[in-house]
């Protein structure tokens, strides 16, 4: 019995995390589960920010920023469990994440809001997060879907489309964008001739396309993941001659769309919006260069948002002057919004010096200006991608 | 000090999730453990309970059905009742199927239920799910709200445990065992096998619905992903088989133990460098499979094996002289 107690005490000591000289921040991501392959680059973005901070003086009095990874599996059950672990066992002062809107919704409502821990999600896009009663603790650097749907609707209207057919994959992300798109397009005066949901991962979508092509639409607005159903739908639509022109959101942004359909079929016929950073923006260039040097593709969805979320939390800790969750939550909008001297990705030393001198800072991130509104949301920035003469994506930033 | 307080809160979260899973496992124990009904559609009944709880208690919201704002206990009863009704409907159709066919039928039904919830967006907000679900005791200050919720979950587990123990040792439970072991013999003894199987299925389904109602409150958010078969059906089976099928204590132990393994292993792996931490997330899923394999190979009866109830004292008294005379007459 005595041995048992000794062993248990030793184990408890070994697991005691709060080491001197380190400040823990939770890094909650859907490492396993349906979006696993999208999450790896996002986590790499978060880690890059932590590496920048630690290499340039660290937090406060030279403390190390430690990101503690936990798996939210894109499932509210796992999100709540991951939140409980990082908040209670690891005693983090803030959280980057979670991935996926459902897991984020569960984690913040069940764990972090009651515990008073601020969280900044880099990939939860559901409009329902805006509506939460969150005591100003929930932020996100990923824009709400509401914005991308609106941006694409405006683009369609400006491109001269008046009658569109809409189909969307039955998952939370694509359904959300489609809903906003339809509302905005109709608000502009356009007509949606058919609006149909489809289940992803079917071998053929000819039946759906036949239904959609009935109303004489000029193009098909397609909200799907390229691997799930998007490519098959475009192929079936071209084969049957039902549609020749397509509009899509960022779930379709991948070179395999060009490779499998053929650039000659898509040139001038496909527009894809993507949550994007302005490539002429210095902030984005700074991030892209650093991210590329780690062997990753800076165009990966939400990688820049992951970097920004982590960097913002670090700035807030510095601004708060202590690893105290309540002060960090209050400092987050201060360091993200104007007024203040502009800080860009990687400029940790400069920011640290300014904050130490009592000056205001305003972080201009890789993903955009990251100015939080009252609900903790950021405005969306988008690009439109078309296929150029060389058969590659050509990006135009939407202003 | 704060660190130990944190461990304590984490322990409470393990007990809460373990307790909710124990409700599911006890429900499955009635079906599979007692009666031998291979219900592979736990996720479906769980989802019915979770959505009923969510829809009946949430305030009005434009994106889904709601605004009824029922008191929480009433909604939990409704969740149980509706799960029981769905269970009755399913049982009416497929209860006569033998073990593996019942499994095929129920797994299909669970998927149908999940897809209905995913597609009937006007009622359930589709894949986006329902958020801001009221939770019992959430208005109390920290940590009393957490403590009260854990206490409620554990009290519910205790009540179910006592009721099922009573049922197990009662003649009802013995008929269930007889059906599980030899259906033809039970029928020959004059038992209405089909009706008993139906009762067992409905009771189990109601408990699964209650598990769903508790989960909806605890998470405060449900979407179709919550009733994913991996964590809502197969994990429950693993828990029951590991703990000890047909043993109610085993069902509770299995739920607590497997949830702790599922959750707490990450605390160790999160200390690894990121590259390994990401991989180890998959190793944890593999680990659950490995534990199941090991238990099935080495200890197929589970950690706490089934213990048959002792015969009623009166019966024992009758039998003793019979054994003395060496007669087999009863």
């Amino acid at each position: 019995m005595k041995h048992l107690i000794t062993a248990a005490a030793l184990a408890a000591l070994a697991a005691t995390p709060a080491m001197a000289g380190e400040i823990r921040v939770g890094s909650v991501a859907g490492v396993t589960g349906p979006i696993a392959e999208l999450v790896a680059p996002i986590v790499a973005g978060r880690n890059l920010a932590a590496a920048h901070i630690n290499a340039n003086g660290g937090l406060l009095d030279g403390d190390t920023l430690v990101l503690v990874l936990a798996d939210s599996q894109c499932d509210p059950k796992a999100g709540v469990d991951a939140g409980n672990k990082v908040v209670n066992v690891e005693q983090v002062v803030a959280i980057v994440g979670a991935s996926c809107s459902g897991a984020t919704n569960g984690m913040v409502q069940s764990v972090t809001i009651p515990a008073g821990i601020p969280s900044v999600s880099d990939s939860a896009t559901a409009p329902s997060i805006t509506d939460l009663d969150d005591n100003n603790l929930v932020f996100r650097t990923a824009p709400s879907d509401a914005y991308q749907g609106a941006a694409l609707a405006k683009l369609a209207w400006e491109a001269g489309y008046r009658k569109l057919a809409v189909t969307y994959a039955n998952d939370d992300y694509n359904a959300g964008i489609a809903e906003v798109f339809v509302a905005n397009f109709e608000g502009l005066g356009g007509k949606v001739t058919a609006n149909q949901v489809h289940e992803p991962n079917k071998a053929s979508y000819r039946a759906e396309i036949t239904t959609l092509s009935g109303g004489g639409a000029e193009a098909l607005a397609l909200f799907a993941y390229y691997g799930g159903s998007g490519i098959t739908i475009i192929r079936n639509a071209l084969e049957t001659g039902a549609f020749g022109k397509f509009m899509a959101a960022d779930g379709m942004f991948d070179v395999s769309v060009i490779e499998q359909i053929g650039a000659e079929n898509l040139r001038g016929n496909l527009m894809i919006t993507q949550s994007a950073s302005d490539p002429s923006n210095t902030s984005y260039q700074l991030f892209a260069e650093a991210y590329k040097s780690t062997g990753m593709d800076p165009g990966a969805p939400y990688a820049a948002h992951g970097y920004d979320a982590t960097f913002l939390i670090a700035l807030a800790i510095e601004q708060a002057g202590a690893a105290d969750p309540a002060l960090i939550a209050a400092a987050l909008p201060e360091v993200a919004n104007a007024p203040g001297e502009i800080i860009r990705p990687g400029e940790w030393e400069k920011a640290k010096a300014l904050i130490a001198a009592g000056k205001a800072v305003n972080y201009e991130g890789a993903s955009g200006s990251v100015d939080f509104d009252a609900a903790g949301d950021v405005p969306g920035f988008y690009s439109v991608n078309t296929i150029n003469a060389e058969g590659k994506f050509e990006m135009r930033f939407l202003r | 000090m704060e660190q130990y307080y944190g461990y304590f809160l984490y322990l409470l979260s393990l007990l809460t999730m373990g307790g909710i899973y124990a409700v599911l496992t006890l429900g499955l124990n009635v079906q599979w453990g007692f009666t031998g009904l291979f219900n592979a559609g736990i996720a479906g009944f769980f989802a019915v309970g979770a959505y009923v709880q969510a829809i009946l208690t949430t305030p009005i919201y434009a994106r889904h059905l709601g605004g009824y704002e029922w008191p929480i206990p009433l909604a939990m009863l409704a969740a149980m009742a509706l799960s029981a009704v769905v269970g009755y409907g399913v049982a009416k159709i497929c209860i006569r199927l033998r073990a593996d066919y019942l499994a095929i039928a129920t797994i299909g039904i669970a998927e149908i239920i999940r897809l209905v919830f995913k597609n009937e967006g006007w009622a359930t907000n589709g894949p986006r799910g329902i958020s801001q679900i009221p939770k019992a005791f959430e208005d109390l200050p920290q940590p009393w709200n957490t403590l009260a919720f854990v206490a409620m979950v554990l009290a519910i587990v205790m009540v179910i445990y006592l009721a099922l123990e009573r049922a197990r040792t009662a003649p009802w439970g013995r008929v269930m065992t007889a059906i599980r072991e030899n259906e033809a013999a039970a029928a020959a003894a004059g038992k209405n096998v089909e009706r008993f199987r139906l009762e067992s299925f409905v009771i189990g389904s109601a408990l699964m619905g209650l598990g769903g109602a508790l989960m909806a409150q605890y998470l405060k958010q449900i979407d179709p992903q919550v009733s994913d078969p991996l964590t809502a059906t197969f994990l429950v089976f693993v828990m029951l088989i590991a703990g000890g099928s047909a043993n109610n204590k085993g069902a509770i132990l299995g739920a607590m133990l497997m949830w702790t393994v599922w959750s707490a292993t990450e605390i160790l792996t999160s200390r690894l460098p990121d590259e390994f931490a990401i991989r180890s997330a998959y190793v944890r899923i593999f680990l659950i499979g490995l534990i199941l394999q090991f238990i099935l190979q080495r200890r197929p009866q589970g950690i706490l094996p089934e213990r048959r109830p002792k015969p009623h004292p009166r019966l024992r008294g009758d039998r003793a002289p019979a054994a003395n005379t060496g007669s087999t007459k009863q």
Side-chain angles (χ1 to χ4, degrees):
Chain A
M1 196 61 206
K2 209 171 166 189
H3 288 292
L4 252 178
I5 293 170
T6 324
L10 277 177
L13 278 180
T16 302
M19 265 185 266
E22 66 178 36
I23 292 176
R24 294 172 165 268
V25 170
S27 172
V28 180
V31 179
T32 63
I35 62 154
E37 73 273 32
L38 291 174
V39 165
I42 299 175
V43 173
R46 297 176 184 177
N47 290 341
L48 179 66
H52 278 168
I53 290 151
N54 290 332
N56 291 298
L59 295 166
L60 305 175
D61 304 321
D63 295 331
T64 317
L65 170 67
V66 177
L67 288 178
V68 185
L69 190 69
D71 185 7
S72 59
Q73 288 171 22
C74 228
D75 174 346
K77 287 199 292 290
V80 169
D81 184 45
N84 259 311
K85 274 181 277 198
V86 293
V87 169
N88 293 323
V89 178
E90 308 286 355
Q91 303 268 310
V92 299
V93 294
I95 289 176
V96 190
S99 315
C100 297
S101 306
T104 306
N105 248 324
M107 181 186 84
V108 300
Q109 291 184 76
S110 189
V111 186
T112 61
I113 297 174
I117 303 286
S119 65
V120 185
S121 176
D122 48 14
S123 51
T125 57
S128 63
I129 293 176
T130 309
D131 307 335
L132 292 177
D133 180 14
D134 64 2
N135 302 332
N136 295 325
L137 289 168
V138 181
F139 299 85
R140 49 179 166 176
T141 55
S144 164
D145 293 340
Y147 301 122
Q148 181 166 192
L152 189 62
K154 186 160 161 263
L155 190 70
W157 181 259
E158 282 167 2
Y161 294 122
R162 295 295 176 266
K163 280 158 75 179
L164 288 174
V166 176
T167 183
Y168 58 95
N170 201 4
D171 61 62
D172 61 348
Y173 186 61
N174 289 303
I177 298 184
E179 186 192 337
V180 177
F181 174 83
V182 169
N184 273 277
F185 189 66
E186 286 177 341
L188 288 167
K191 189 170 181 311
V192 173
T193 58
N195 183 3
Q196 204 187 19
V197 60
H198 65 263
E199 283 300 320
N201 301 317
K202 280 169 54 170
S204 163
Y205 290 95
R206 287 180 181 238
E208 283 87 344
I209 284 166
T210 312
T211 319
L212 286 166
S213 63
E218 297 148 358
L220 177 64
L222 169 60
F223 303 96
Y225 291 113
Y226 64 92
S229 55
I231 291 176
T232 317
I233 288 177
I234 293 188
R235 184 185 296 127
N236 290 165
L238 289 171
E239 282 164 0
T240 55
F243 294 99
K245 293 186 183 293
F246 305 92
M247 324 205 50
D250 55 2
M252 289 295 292
F253 184 69
D254 193 86
V255 282
S256 60
V257 175
I258 306 178
E259 284 163 9
Q260 295 193 26
I261 306 288
E264 65 285 0
N265 297 319
L266 295 174
R267 195 169 300 128
N269 295 332
L270 176 66
M271 286 195 285
I272 302 178
T273 50
Q274 195 204 3
S275 176
S277 315
D278 186 351
S280 62
N281 181 326
T282 330
S283 286
Y284 176 73
Q285 288 164 354
L286 284 168
F287 162 76
E289 212 167 294
Y291 195 69
K292 221 181 276 172
S293 69
T294 62
M296 308 286 291
D297 169 22
Y302 300 116
H305 301 81
Y307 184 97
D308 288 346
T310 315
F311 206 89
L312 272 173
I313 286 179
L315 283 172
I317 294 173
E318 200 69 30
Q319 172 88 357
D324 178 280
L327 296 177
I328 296 169
L332 267 166
E334 290 173 22
V335 294
N337 299 358
E341 187 136 348
I342 287 176
I343 298 296
R344 299 187 186 282
E347 297 182 338
W348 180 251
E349 245 168 325
K350 180 178 162 194
K352 206 172 153 71
L354 283 169
I355 292 171
K359 295 222 171 70
V361 293
N362 172 19
Y363 181 64
E364 293 288 310
S367 61
S369 65
V370 287
D371 291 335
F372 291 127
D373 64 13
D377 286 354
V378 293
F381 293 91
Y382 299 96
S383 65
V384 57
N385 299 270
T386 46
I387 286 126
N388 66 11
E390 287 111 64
K392 297 226 166 61
F393 277 120
E394 192 166 281
M395 191 180 105
R396 183 168 62 85
F397 191 71
L398 294 173
R399 285 192 172 76
Chain B
M1 200 53 225
E2 225 166 274
Q3 181 66 62
Y4 290 102
Y5 177 60
Y7 286 144
F8 173 67
L9 287 180
Y10 176 58
L11 186 73
L12 292 186
S13 83
L14 283 181
L15 281 174
T16 313
M17 271 307 252
I20 294 171
Y21 268 108
V23 174
L24 295 175
T25 321
L26 285 168
L28 180 65
N29 198 24
V30 177
Q31 297 177 341
W32 168 248
F34 291 5
T35 326
L37 299 174
F38 198 152
N39 177 7
I42 303 164
F45 301 103
F46 168 82
V48 169
Y51 273 99
V52 168
Q53 176 77 26
I55 289 171
L56 288 182
T57 58
T58 43
I60 197 152
Y61 193 64
R63 293 172 198 278
H64 59 73
L65 201 62
Y68 305 105
E69 301 193 63
W70 281 30
I72 290 169
L74 212 58
M76 278 160 69
L77 288 178
M80 275 179 89
L82 203 72
S83 290
V85 169
V86 173
Y88 180 79
V90 171
K92 254 315 196 203
I93 301 163
C94 27
I95 205 70
R96 268 163 300 177
L97 299 172
R98 303 271 150 188
D100 15 4
Y101 298 102
L102 182 64
I104 295 167
T106 47
I107 207 169
I109 286 162
E111 274 303 288
I112 291 170
I113 293 174
R114 196 167 70 90
L115 289 176
V116 167
F117 284 133
K118 199 171 169 185
N119 287 289
E120 294 304 317
W122 59 274
T124 63
N125 197 15
R128 284 282 191 222
I130 298 177
S131 189
Q132 306 196 36
I133 302 166
K135 178 180 179 180
F137 308 115
E138 67 183 333
D139 295 332
L140 297 177
Q142 278 264 61
W144 302 110
N145 51 3
T146 319
L147 270 169
F149 193 77
V150 176
M152 181 185 80
V153 170
L154 294 183
I156 288 174
V157 170
M158 197 63 207
V159 168
I160 296 172
Y161 168 77
L162 291 175
L164 291 187
E165 271 301 293
R166 182 74 187 83
R168 187 179 69 91
T169 49
W172 188 83
R174 281 181 251 184
V175 176
M176 293 303 172
T177 316
I179 293 172
R180 185 188 73 200
E181 295 299 327
N182 192 333
E183 219 178 290
K191 302 295 174 195
N192 185 345
V193 171
E194 204 176 298
R195 226 196 94 204
F196 276 104
R197 283 167 64 116
L198 192 126
E199 283 173 9
S200 158
F201 197 87
V202 169
I203 292 172
S205 306
L207 291 179
M208 289 165 188
L210 178 62
L214 289 171
M215 187 78 90
Q217 290 180 55
Y218 179 58
L219 301 179
K220 293 183 69 63
Q221 150 86 21
I222 48 158
D223 54 43
Q225 192 69 29
V226 174
S227 62
D228 172 53
L230 174 69
T231 51
T233 296
F234 300 112
L235 189 60
V236 180
F237 255 101
V238 173
M239 285 167 170
L240 181 62
I241 289 168
S245 204
N247 184 324
N248 288 321
K249 281 199 198 82
I252 297 172
L253 177 74
M256 294 286 180
L257 198 69
M258 292 313 280
W259 180 257
T260 307
V261 170
W262 181 264
S263 167
T265 42
E266 192 175 55
I267 297 172
L268 304 173
T269 58
S270 67
R271 299 187 187 276
L272 298 169
D274 261 349
E275 193 188 332
F276 296 104
I278 287 178
R279 281 183 206 170
S280 64
Y282 292 93
V283 174
R284 288 167 53 223
I285 297 173
F286 167 74
L287 191 69
I288 296 286
L290 192 72
I291 292 174
L292 182 63
Q293 276 295 324
F294 183 80
I295 289 171
L296 285 176
Q297 295 278 337
R298 297 282 151 197
R299 212 177 155 78
Q301 71 276 49
I303 301 169
L304 297 176
E306 180 182 11
R307 287 177 58 193
R308 297 292 314 126
K310 290 201 181 69
H312 194 277
R314 207 183 61 228
L315 289 176
R316 240 186 345 222
D318 287 350
R319 209 157 50 185
N324 283 342
T325 57
S327 155
T328 53
K329 194 165 65 101
Q330 288 276 323

